[in-house]
Amino acid sequence: MKPFEAVVIGVSAGGLAALEAILPVLDESFGLPVLVVQHLSPDAESYLPQHLDIRCVLRAKEAEDKEPLKPGTVYVAPPNYHLMVEADKTIALSTEQRVNFSRPSVDVLFETAAEVFCQGLVGVILTGANSDGAAGVVKVKQYGGMVVVQDPETAAADAMPRAAIQAVTPDHVLPLERIGPFLKTLAP
C-alpha cells in the first residue's frame, strides 16, 4: 500500500473545539501536511491559524497562494477563499463562486486534493451543520484515498458527518477523541 502523503480536514459548526481535540495530538514526528477548511464568515478575522499555532506542536499557518506543501505543517484556508491543491503539490486560493453556500468549501479542497494525492490522501470530516464535504469524500474514495468521519454522536453539529456517511462507506467512523491518535498512526 502506498504511504499517505497528506491529510485534508473539513469542519464547520463546532469546529474550533474539534480541531483543538485533534491537531495538538499530532507531534513533530507527524510527517504529513494537513489542510483545513473551517467554514467562516467571509469577513471574519483570520484568527484560526494563530489560535491553533499556539496550541499545536506542528506549525499552523494561513495558506498562501502558490505555496508548496511541507510536511508537518497545518494550512488553514483564509476566510472567503477556496483552498485547493495543484498538480505540483502547491496551494491555490480562489474566489470562485460558493459551493454549498460556502467559500472556503470542504468539497473543493477534498476534490482537488483527491486528484493530486489519490490513494495517498486521508480525508477527515468533522462536526458541521450542512452537507459540505459529502461530494468531496465521494471523490476521495473514487481516487482510492481513506475517509475518516467523526462519529455523529460526538459532533457538536451532526449534519456534516451524517451527510458524509450517507455519501460513502467511510473507512473509519471514530469518536472525536480517537481521531488525532488514529491520524498519528498513518504518518510515515
Side-chain angles (χ1 to χ4, degrees):
M1 187 170 109
K2 180 179 171 185
F4 291 106
E5 296 179 72
V7 175
V8 289
I9 298 176
V11 63
S12 188
L16 184 59
L19 292 170
E20 287 177 343
I22 293 170
L23 295 176
V25 173
L26 307 177
D27 57 27
E28 57 279 330
S29 70
F30 192 78
L32 304 175
V34 180
L35 296 91
V36 177
V37 163
Q38 158 79 62
H39 291 158
L40 298 166
S41 164
D43 50 5
E45 290 286 322
S46 185
Y47 70 90
L48 188 59
Q50 296 87 339
H51 179 85
L52 293 172
D53 195 51
I54 293 167
R55 288 159 178 78
C56 295
V57 176
L58 301 182
R59 177 166 185 236
K61 65 182 300 299
E62 188 169 271
E64 296 175 47
D65 198 43
K66 308 293 180 231
E67 180 176 15
L69 293 175
K70 291 189 185 128
T73 304
V74 178
Y75 299 92
V76 180
N80 212 24
Y81 284 90
H82 289 306
L83 174 59
M84 302 178 294
V85 179
E86 297 282 5
D88 62 358
K89 299 180 182 168
T90 60
I91 289 172
L93 299 177
S94 162
T95 55
E96 287 178 25
Q97 68 187 58
R98 297 172 183 280
V99 176
N100 284 320
F101 311 103
S102 301
R103 188 175 54 225
S105 161
V106 176
D107 284 335
V108 169
L109 171 60
F110 279 43
E111 289 169 1
T112 60
E115 290 171 5
V116 172
F117 293 110
C118 301
Q119 67 267 40
L121 184 67
V122 181
V124 181
I125 295 290
L126 302 176
T127 179
N130 66 17
S131 64
D132 191 19
V137 294
V138 169
K139 186 77 90 166
V140 171
K141 289 293 276 186
Q142 283 174 344
Y143 279 84
M146 177 185 285
V147 172
V148 179
V149 178
Q150 180 180 355
D151 182 339
E153 299 298 317
T154 69
D158 67 1
M160 249 169 77
R162 288 193 191 285
I165 291 168
Q166 279 189 317
V168 298
T169 301
D171 297 280
H172 302 277
V173 177
L174 299 172
L176 181 61
E177 69 275 4
R178 288 195 37 218
I179 295 174
F182 175 73
L183 292 176
K184 275 181 74 169
T185 70
L186 304 179

